[in-house]
Amino acid sequence: MRVNPNYTANMVDLLNQSQQDETKALTELSTGRRVNNPSDDPAAEAAMVAENSRSASVDQYTASSDSLTEVLNTADSTLSSVVTLLQRASTLGVEAANSATMNQTDLNSIANELTGIQSQMLSLANTSYAGQYVFGGTVTGIAPYVADPTVAGQVDYVGNDQQNKVQIGTGLSVASNLPGSSIFSQSSGNVFDALQSMITACQSGNNSGITGAVTKLSTASDTVNTARVFYGNTVNELTSNESYLSQEKVNIASYENTLVSCDTATATTAVTQAEYQRNATVAAAAKMNQVSLLDYLK
Amino acid sequence: MSGLTSDLNVSVQSLLTSTESMDVTTTNISNMNTPGYARRRVVLEESTPTGLDGSTTGVDVKAIQSLRDNVLDLSINAATSQQNQSSTIANSLSAAQVLFSDNASSSIGSTLDSFFSSLQQLSTSPSDDSLRSNVLTAASNVAASFQSTESCITESQQQMDQDVVQATGDINSLLQQIATANGVISTANNLGQNSNTAEDQRSALLTQLSAIVGYQTVNSSNGLTLTTDDGTPLVVGTKAYSLTNAISSSGFNEVEAGGVDITNTIQGGNLGGFIQTRDQSLASMKTQLDQLAFQFAQAVNSVQTSGSDEDGNTGVALFNPPDTTAGNATGAASSISVSLTSASQIAAAATGGTSGDNTNLLKMIGLQNQSIIDEATPTAAVANLTFSIGNAISQATSDATATGNILTQLQNQQGSVEGVSLDEESSNLVLYQRSFEAAAKIISTVDTLMGNLLDMGATNPGY
Amino acid sequence: MIADSSTDLAVCRELDALQSAISGAIKALSDWDIAAFESAVERQAEICGHLARAKNGWSRIPYVAEAAHKVQRLNRVYDLLLRHSAQWTRNVGAILQAGGHQPAGSVSVHFRA
């Protein structure tokens, strides 16, 4: 059985193969990825599509959480100011109720300050963040608290009692707002009513009216403070969730690494081996070309 | 004692014969790289006696035989067909697969992810105009991605289509040449002459043809008959049956034999690869892509129309896929576009809800995890497409490599049978030269001796 | 040992044998059978050896002359054939060398002018 005298074709094939191996390994080293095309590892690529999607979701949950945190904090600090105002109004009310020391002039003066407080309160209740009213439920385009032009001190709520939910994780949502109706209103009326009743009582020197108003303010204050719990809790949940999301990002990135990343050591070795293979092939080809039977017949 | 005349006849005849033998060796050496060339050797036969005394004129060259292994050649051609088809498929799909790489930021997977992210962001503040605007931008990016992916697939198909026409032309040319070679071989054989060169040429042509398309061969009385795999004649004797192309309802060229469409029966070779890529792989991808675009758009639109937009109106379709009523997804990927003219038309709220309500948005976001594309989520559908194309290429590449290895082995076998060995031919040369050196000396000696013998007074009868 | 009358006979026999050997060489060359060629050449060498030793015993016998002539003429045809073969060998050698193949150990064949 003769050996194929046309060994050149085999040599060329071997050279091509080692050339391809080297190119592949070099590509991996420069891109940092073992898998650069779907055909390199179809299953890994398909998994990457899913992981990239997960990763994008996690990024978005983080972004949503950040946005929410800002608006919730804004709302909460607004309510903090509301509480301060209510406390001030309460203090004034207690003063005004002390008929022993108060005369009508004093009461009028208190009534004035309370009017000022009332208008500040209205402004706070109509706080907006990024152009959207914060305390209107899902009515965010118009100010939720409207002063009745005909009835002094009457403020009507024109928002709704809806809460939006926002997703912050897989199967995890938080309410993103608290409607004003849960904050500034009670069954007996809203905080503006309470302030107005005190103003009216002061203006008319109605001591028992003042005392009654102090109680109403106290109830309103409690309602606001209770409402603030929502914001505190929600922000806490968002914060602790963010650290979970960070961990998720790390996990995903780590998994993606195992799917498609180039192991530098392996790729470097592959380049070295391919070069070695190529040199050996070229040397062998050169040798085979030189040596022939005739040399041995000298 | 043999007569001089007889010896002279032997010499003359031998001169002719040995010239042929030497020619054969020279031919072998100078043709060692000629495709299709098979090593030849001289088969000698003692001449039929012509003399009354039973003497012969020596030897006749009976045949110059080509050492060819026909079965091996057939195997090589079959392997060549297969390998070429696989390589062609792998190469042809390479351009399209880039679109599906997870690295590509404009891939369908990426744009879909961004679209859902934009919806999520909007859900934190549904009346925010810039966030609404972002959603429309993200939606048109999705549409653009579908369109450019489809466009790339179509371009690849069109390239394949051109290649089909080119290949058909190449095949026809080869069929003509094979038919001609059949004629030369047939004529020579009928005259009792050898047809080695024509057979070498035909062998080379057959290999070239196998690289382009698969076929069957049958040895028949009028030479080598070629047919397609399903029996349609290509070459019968000296007649070549050309193939033709005609544009079919698909808008692509079909291959016809005698006016009959044989496109689906063509296997093997580059042509087999072009057809498979164009009509199977790429066509299938386009169908899946259309399905994805259609069902995605339909699902989003369905949520849109079940909510209220910023102005309190019932939502209208966000995307423009064609003909939703007919339910036909064909062409969806190439024509999908954003239908809304204003971001305020995004129906974030539930029906009758206020502009700050995000209930409907949450439903739209929920589509990301619903099996809206033939029982797969949008992401899963994209992952499947990615896997499909990657796998098709990977498989074709493996096939090409595997058949390549078989081909190399077969070619090695062929080479050992048919290949000209310079070493063998050269070693013979050395031997000849040494013998000739010795023989020349003897000739000299004989000449001298005869000269002496005659000079010594033997009667010179003269020439 | 070769005697007078038997010398002539012997010479004739040798000459016939020589003719036969030359014919054999020609046939072997046409067969491209180097082994047969070489043994034919060897036979010729041997016969030449005999003839050379028997030189002194040659006499002027017509059929010896005839035999010698035949050999001479055949030798010349054979010479032609061999030159042709040698020429071809050189050509092929040149082809191989041109192709980068070095046929080592090649010798040049000399002919008497």
Side-chain angles (χ1 to χ4, degrees), chain B residues 43-367:
Chain B
V43 175
L44 298 166
E45 220 182 51
E46 185 103 5
S47 304
T48 3
T50 52
L52 289 170
D53 58 353
S55 61
T56 68
T57 52
V59 293
D60 286 332
V61 172
K62 165 69 176 166
I64 294 176
Q65 191 188 54
S66 284
L67 294 176
R68 185 189 309 285
D69 184 333
N70 285 318
V71 173
L72 202 45
D73 285 359
L74 281 174
S75 302
I76 285 174
N77 288 348
T80 303
S81 265
Q82 220 174 318
Q83 196 202 25
N84 274 45
Q85 173 162 311
S86 297
S87 302
T88 299
I89 291 172
N91 289 339
S92 306
L93 291 174
S94 293
Q97 79 159 335
V98 175
L99 303 165
F100 293 91
S101 171
D102 71 278
N103 266 339
S105 58
S106 59
S107 71
I108 292 176
S110 292
T111 54
L112 280 174
D113 288 342
S114 296
F115 174 70
F116 284 111
S117 289
S118 73
L119 290 176
Q120 289 271 23
Q121 189 61 37
L122 185 60
S123 75
T124 64
S125 186
S127 305
D128 185 321
D129 288 337
S130 73
L131 293 185
R132 279 182 170 256
S133 178
N134 288 348
V135 168
L136 279 197
T137 304
S140 52
N141 286 344
V142 169
S145 182
F146 272 117
Q147 282 185 22
S148 65
T149 305
E150 189 277 345
S151 161
C152 182
I153 292 175
T154 301
E155 263 177 54
S156 293
Q157 283 182 305
Q158 283 164 350
Q159 178 62 52
M160 295 297 100
D161 197 44
Q162 282 178 32
D163 292 332
V164 164
V165 173
Q166 174 77 40
T168 306
D170 292 342
I171 288 170
N172 288 339
S173 163
L174 287 170
L175 293 180
Q176 254 333 306
Q177 293 176 61
I178 290 170
T180 305
N182 267 351
V184 172
I185 292 166
S186 187
T187 307
N189 287 343
N190 287 341
L191 293 176
Q193 293 166 1
N194 77 62
S195 53
N196 294 315
T197 305
E199 282 184 42
D200 288 340
Q201 284 169 353
R202 188 174 65 183
S203 175
L205 291 168
L206 287 171
T207 303
Q208 279 182 58
L209 185 64
S210 67
I212 307 181
V213 72
Y215 56 88
Q216 301 287 328
T217 56
V218 178
N219 273 315
S220 63
S221 54
N222 46 10
L224 197 66
T225 299
L226 258 64
T227 65
T228 61
D229 283 340
D230 72 332
T232 310
L234 293 170
V235 174
V236 179
T238 54
K239 181 147 171 57
Y241 294 88
S242 295
L243 301 172
T244 51
N245 299 120
I247 305 219
S248 72
S249 56
S250 66
F252 294 128
N253 279 285
E254 56 188 31
V255 179
E256 293 176 338
V260 175
D261 179 18
I262 59 163
T263 313
N264 295 337
T265 64
I266 289 177
Q267 293 276 354
N270 292 338
L271 182 58
F274 295 140
I275 291 173
Q276 167 126 344
T277 305
R278 186 193 71 187
D279 298 346
Q280 308 287 338
S281 319
L282 290 174
S284 161
M285 285 194 61
K286 202 192 265 193
T287 304
Q288 286 179 63
L289 197 64
D290 280 342
Q291 204 60 28
L292 177 56
F294 183 83
Q295 288 177 327
F296 169 73
Q298 197 174 42
V300 169
N301 287 349
S302 180
V303 173
Q304 258 290 108
T305 54
S306 65
S308 294
D309 70 11
E310 207 172 22
D311 302 321
N313 300 322
T314 304
V316 295
L318 205 159
F319 288 112
N320 263 333
D323 213 355
T324 37
T325 47
N328 180 6
T330 308
S334 63
S335 62
I336 184 173
S337 61
V338 171
S339 173
L340 300 183
T341 49
S342 159
S344 62
Q345 292 173 291
I346 295 171
T351 306
T354 59
S355 61
D357 173 20
N358 74 1
T359 313
N360 210 36
L361 265 182
L362 296 182
K363 272 206 241 168
M364 208 177 284
I365 290 166
L367 293 175

Side-chain angles (χ1 to χ4, degrees), chain A residues 1-51:
Chain A
M1 179 78 171
R2 296 171 68 221
V3 172
N4 181 17
N6 301 321
Y7 54 79
T8 327
N10 288 353
M11 288 289 162
V12 171
D13 277 349
L14 278 174
L15 279 172
N16 280 344
Q17 190 57 50
S18 60
Q19 181 76 23
Q20 277 176 36
D21 291 344
E22 189 173 356
T23 306
K24 191 165 161 42
L26 282 171
T27 305
E28 287 182 25
L29 278 174
S30 65
T31 59
R33 284 175 57 127
R34 175 185 64 88
V35 181
N36 289 297
N37 284 309
S39 59
D40 292 339
D41 188 339
E45 271 294 302
M48 278 301 280
V49 169
E51 288 309 303

